[in-house]
Each structure stands twice: as C-alpha cells, then as structure tokens.
Amino acid sequence: MAKVVFFAPRQEMIDQAQRLAPGYRLDIVGYALTSSSTAVLRAQEAVAGGAQIIIARGLHAMHIRQKVDVPVVEIRLTGQEMGLLVSRAKEMASSICPKIAVIGFQNMFCDMSAFDSLFGVEIHPYFVRETDQLLGAADEAIREGAQVVIGGDAVCERAKSAGIPALFLASGPESIAEAFRIAEKVAYSSDLEKRNTAQIKALLDYSFNGIIQTNAAGEVQHLNHFVEKLTGKSEEESVGLPVTALIPSLDPALLDEALGGGREVYSTLITIQKSALITNIAPILIDSVVQGAFLSFHEGKRVAEMEAQMRREIYKLGHVAKYHFDNLVALSAPAREAVKTAKFFARSDSPILITGEFGTEKELLAECIHNDSVRKGAPFVSVRCDSLQAGEMSEEIFGAGGEGDTAAHKCLADMAKGGTLFLDEVDALDMSAQYKLFRLVRDGVLIRSGDTRPLPIGVRVIAASGRPLGPAVREGHFRRDLYYALDVLSLSLLPLRRRREDIEGWAERFLEAQQQKQSRYLSLTAGARRALAAYAWEGNLPQLESFCERVVALAPRRTVDEVFIAQQLEQCYPAAHEPDGERVIVYQDPDAQELKELLKTHRGNRQKVARELGVSTTTLWRRMKKYGISGD
C-alpha cells in the first residue's frame, strides 16, 4: 500500500487527522507540523524516506507540489464547512446582506459561486499566491468596505485591529475526511500502477524476445535485458532517448505509422549489431488515443559477414541481386499490391512461387525480395531452367558426385549457399531435377547426381513460371509434392496490358537508359506517352525495352510525337496479336480519328471540314499531313 505523510500548519488539524485515520484504508507513516518556510524541505525528506503521497493545505500544498514528484492531495474546505462559516459571518454583521471578504489561497476553498443567493450575502474572494500577500489582501478588503473577514490568523488580527469582525478559516473534520477519501483513490491507483509496472517488468525481463516500451513521442520508457545486450546500452542509459536513436536501423516512418496512425506494424526486418531481427510495433491505445507503443524483436538468422574472397568470387560470377523495391515501377493498384505482398515475403525464409507471363517482373521481384531479406549480403543465383538440356539439368543445378570443393567446380545450388536460388521457368525441369528440388525445398539438403548422400545446405528457393502450375500437375508433368512445397508463398503478376499505368513509368526508365547509352536526348509529347500506354505489349518489359531502344535510335527530331510512335509500332509489329488470339489495335490519336470521320462525312471536302473544325484549310492540310491522312 502507498505510504502517506500528513502535513498541517496547526496541531489541532493533526489531532483531528489522527482520530479520523483509522477509518480509512491508508498507510499513514507520518504527521508533520510545519510552517511555510520548512514545508518543502520536510516534504523532500519524507519522499526520500519512502513517502508516496502527501496530504497538505493551502500554500504548503502549492509549494510542495512544485518540488516533489509524488501526488499531493490538497485539504480543501467542503461546501458544508464553508456554508457554516458564511452563516456565522452573516450573524456577526449588522446589515441584512453583508459584504463578506474571504482571504486565502484558492486551493483551500470549495466553489462559492452560489453562496450569494443561498445565504443572502455578498461574497468577495481575495485569493493570493504567497504568504506575504495576505495582509495586503486584508487591507484591500477593508478599503473596499468588507463588513466581515474570513481568513487565517494574520488576516483576522489585521481585520480586528481595523474594527472589522473576523472568523478564523479552520479546516474541520469534514475537509480532512474528504482529503483522506481522495488519498484512498490516489493510493489505489498508485498500487494498481505499481502492480502493472511490476508485471510489465517481469514480462520484459523474462521474455525471450527484445521488448521496448515508448511514450507517445517515441521516447524509450522501458526495455529488457535482451535489448540491453543487443544495443550495448543499459536501461538507465536508454530511457528518455528517441527509440530511433537507440535503434538507428528502425525506419521512422514505421514508428510514425504506429504512433501517428495507431496502426500495428507487423514483421519488419531490421539489423542490429549484425543480427537480423523481425520487429513488430503495436500502438498503446487508451480511449482511442495513442499513448505509446510496444516494440518487440525476435531473431531471424544471424547474418555472418562474407569473406572478401567469397564476395569477389560472387561478383565475378555475376551472382548479385541488383534490384531493390525502390527501383520498381509500381503505379498501378495491382503492381502496388504485388510489391506489398513481396515485402511481406521478404520477411520470411519460406520458398516462393511467382507466376506471370513472359517478360513480367518475376526475376526483378525475386531480386527485391532477396535484397530485403536476411540473406541480402549473400549470393543471388538465377537459373533459366528452359535453357538447360534435359541431361544437364540435375548436374548444373545440383552437381555431380565426386566434385571438388573449389568454386570452379561448384554447382549452382552450391554457389547460392547462404543466399537465394532463383529458378525461372521451373516447370521445364525434368522429373529427376524436380525430385532433387523437392528435397532441397522440403529438407534443405542437396542430392548430387550419382551420390545418394544428402548434404545439408542453407538456400532459399524462389521459383517462377510463365503459366500456372496446376494444369501441369494434373497432366502429370510436374510433381504434386514439389508444387505444394513451392506454393507456400505464391504471387501472380499481371501483364502490362492489364496495368497500363505502369507502361509509361517503365518506358521512361528504358528511354532514359537508352538516351544515356546512345547520347541522343529526346522529349516525348503527351500524345506519344498516351500511344505507348495504349499499346498491348504482349512481350511485356523486354518488348517495351527493345521498342524504346528503337525510338531513341530512329527518332528524326528531338521531339517525338504520337504519329512517329504509331508508325514505329506498325512497322515493328504489323500483325501483332494478343496471347489469346485477339488482334492488337495500334494506337491512333483521337484527333486523327475525328479528322478521318469528318473527311468521310463530308466526302473529302476540305472546306467543309475546316469550317466545322473552325480552322483554315492550310491548318487542316498540315494536320492531315501530320497524321498521314490522304484526301480521299
């Protein structure tokens, strides 16, 4: 139970408090008779001795509250006590509606706003902030015609010396009892907070995960031993620091999502002292208001630094993932959703299956996932399975028995050790290679050709296919057990023609690269951009990239318009068809379409067409030439 000390300026108040105390659930450890000059010092001594709540009156309470960090309960005259004093004061006055001055510290009094009408008096309060202001307030009340004065000893003496009746402002048993009742509630809340704090401390100290509690400003309030070991800072050193200063790898935007938006942040990967940690951030909500957050950390895999020789070897062989999520164009809703899902996949170490048409961002997403995972410092080995001969598949990917241990003789799975093995067109693997891939995915072991001994190997597998694998499983061309093993985390990408917002972004990326490469700098009109976005691009990114290279190479002038784009599309893909057999409609500018329709309506009469368009025949002729429209 919280320890309480009772402060009072008069012995009779202490006597009353001692008589009343047994009726309350309070642990009163001391009663102190103090003056204004010693109240603060005595309160500080009491707190140092273990006091957790202080009960005091008037100026004592005001000064003590400013100097100590424990709750201070004020002794305030109750309405009944103050009403009795006013009734007695009215009896002492010689008029029917006397003017009564109440002089003292505001925190000593109850609300007296209705006393005038209740008692038929005029109450004039004179509230002060310091003791040396009391006599000045008494003199002011006397000058303003107070007929009775209610106040402390000094105020009453000054009033009596001026011939004004006075009543001493005594705190009776009711006000002390009310202070005890308030102290009981404060003590209960304090005890409850202590229990909660003890429970939180036990949770923090005995958790196998790292835990940090912050306030609403993102400052550390508590942390456990796990975090102390991770950061190398004790709790005393960490409390009060911004959590982003304690954990520099924590993205401030994620913390703001919890503290500013009240949303949980789930499974974010961060690195502390070379340890990869999965982090969750949960906002602390009280009455729908964010009061702070809990951050929890649990270890993923220890990220060991690779030897310099191994790094040089990996870069020499090209086994490096270059793309990060920031490098992708994801303007359309499907692309944004795919990137969001891929970021979640990066936090796991499970196998992934990505499906999508030829030329969609399957490998780019695989690189992004690798670079956002705990394996980001390790190799990323990419294999096009349909580029291997049937007899070479198993040996190239999984190796052959009796191989040496040097890098030159290692198979692709060996080269991906500790990192990611990306298998594009995985459905092209023969049944033998499919079985070995199944064992690698399910059991984490490598089975070499001609060697029955499985070798443990730590590799994450990301597989991709240009078509859904379900039909291949039903037709017996793809192992059912491998399909289920790969399909733990799956992602399907739409072709560019079904997310046209992304076409312009990728086109800008490809055009910029080609301009740098060819040292030719172009500017696309709005119509040219619309023409690119309107085309179907059945070959997806490779087709778009090749076309952008052609545009930069063949553009006759710096500004490229939709007419040039349409001409190049017609020349490159004159009989292009959608994958489902539908004819691709090459983009035509709406202005060109309108012009053709008007010429047809007016049977080629240029004067009538020009008049309807509100332009001259010369301007009309220029437009026809621009769009390649004949006069027929």
Side-chain angles (χ1 to χ4, degrees), residues 424-439:
D424 200 1
E425 304 301 335
V426 68
D427 50 318
L429 292 177
D430 59 30
M431 285 298 176
S432 172
Q434 287 184 32
Y435 170 72
K436 292 175 182 177
L437 179 58
F438 170 66
R439 292 295 306 277

Side-chain angles (χ1 to χ4, degrees), residues 275-589:
S275 289
L277 299 166
I278 305 299
T279 304
N280 300 319
I281 307 176
I284 302 170
L285 295 170
I286 300 177
D287 293 333
S288 300
V289 177
V290 177
Q291 300 293 337
F294 275 110
L295 293 82
S296 65
F297 310 87
H298 64 272
E299 284 190 296
K301 292 182 177 292
R302 187 75 178 177
V303 182
E305 288 191 337
M306 301 175 66
E307 296 292 336
Q309 179 63 34
M310 187 180 294
R311 282 192 180 276
R312 285 195 295 271
E313 177 185 322
I314 289 168
Y315 276 84
K316 182 175 67 178
L317 295 173
H319 299 318
V320 179
K322 299 176 182 178
Y323 264 77
H324 295 76
F325 285 115
D326 291 343
N327 304 136
L328 294 178
V329 173
L331 302 176
S332 67
R336 291 197 303 270
E337 186 62 29
V339 168
K340 180 180 177 181
T341 302
K343 286 182 177 180
F344 273 103
F345 288 179
R347 300 166 189 170
S348 167
D349 209 34
S350 300
I352 299 172
L353 177 62
I354 305 175
T355 56
E357 283 185 13
F358 166 81
T360 50
E361 301 93 320
K362 299 190 291 291
E363 183 167 0
L364 302 186
L365 264 181
E367 290 187 13
C368 294
I369 290 170
H370 172 84
N371 280 332
D372 204 42
S373 74
V374 295
R375 298 178 181 271
K376 60 186 175 183
F380 177 86
V381 178
S382 175
V383 187
R384 276 291 299 249
C385 298
D386 59 352
S387 68
L388 301 174
Q389 297 293 327
E392 300 174 346
M393 288 184 181
S394 291
E395 190 168 325
E396 283 290 321
I397 298 173
F398 304 104
E403 285 188 347
D405 292 330
T406 63
H409 294 93
K410 284 183 177 179
C411 64
L412 295 169
D414 275 323
M415 293 178 183
K417 187 174 182 180
T420 301
L421 178 63
F422 175 66
L423 299 172
D424 200 1
E425 304 301 335
V426 68
D427 50 318
L429 292 177
D430 59 30
M431 285 298 176
S432 172
Q434 287 184 32
Y435 170 72
K436 292 175 182 177
L437 179 58
F438 170 66
R439 292 295 306 277
L440 177 63
V441 171
R442 189 192 68 175
D443 303 323
V445 297
L446 186 61
I447 299 178
R448 304 182 190 276
S449 299
D451 191 347
T452 58
R453 181 186 54 178
L455 301 173
I457 184 170
V459 172
R460 184 184 197 178
V461 173
I462 301 179
S465 173
R467 58 176 181 149
L469 294 181
V473 172
R474 291 191 293 273
E475 294 163 7
H477 301 313
F478 199 82
R479 291 179 65 100
R480 188 176 296 273
D481 52 5
L482 175 58
Y483 173 66
Y484 292 138
L486 289 174
D487 199 37
V488 174
L489 303 175
S490 59
L491 179 61
S492 181
L493 300 179
L494 294 179
L496 282 179
R497 64 183 177 276
R498 294 182 60 186
R499 44 189 178 93
R500 295 189 182 274
E501 299 96 317
D502 298 327
I503 294 175
E504 188 175 333
W506 280 116
E508 286 181 357
R509 186 81 56 86
F510 295 146
L511 286 168
E512 183 179 348
Q514 285 301 320
Q515 289 177 80
Q516 294 291 335
K517 182 178 179 181
Q518 301 182 39
S519 297
R520 298 195 77 213
Y521 300 96
L522 309 177
S523 173
L524 268 63
T525 66
R529 296 176 188 277
R530 288 196 299 270
L532 288 171
Y535 190 69
W537 304 110
E538 63 181 80
N540 294 296
L541 293 184
Q543 182 187 14
L544 178 59
E545 185 174 16
S546 296
F547 184 79
C548 290
E549 183 175 359
R550 177 186 177 94
V551 168
V552 174
L554 299 182
R557 58 184 66 87
R558 181 177 177 82
T559 299
V560 175
D561 62 12
E562 62 272 28
V563 175
F564 178 77
I565 295 295
Q567 290 170 350
Q568 298 307 309
L569 287 172
E570 190 65 43
Q571 290 176 22
C572 289
Y573 319 115
H577 288 75
E578 293 275 16
D580 58 7
E582 294 183 8
R583 181 74 166 87
V584 172
I585 304 300
V586 177
Y587 174 83
Q588 290 185 334
D589 190 277

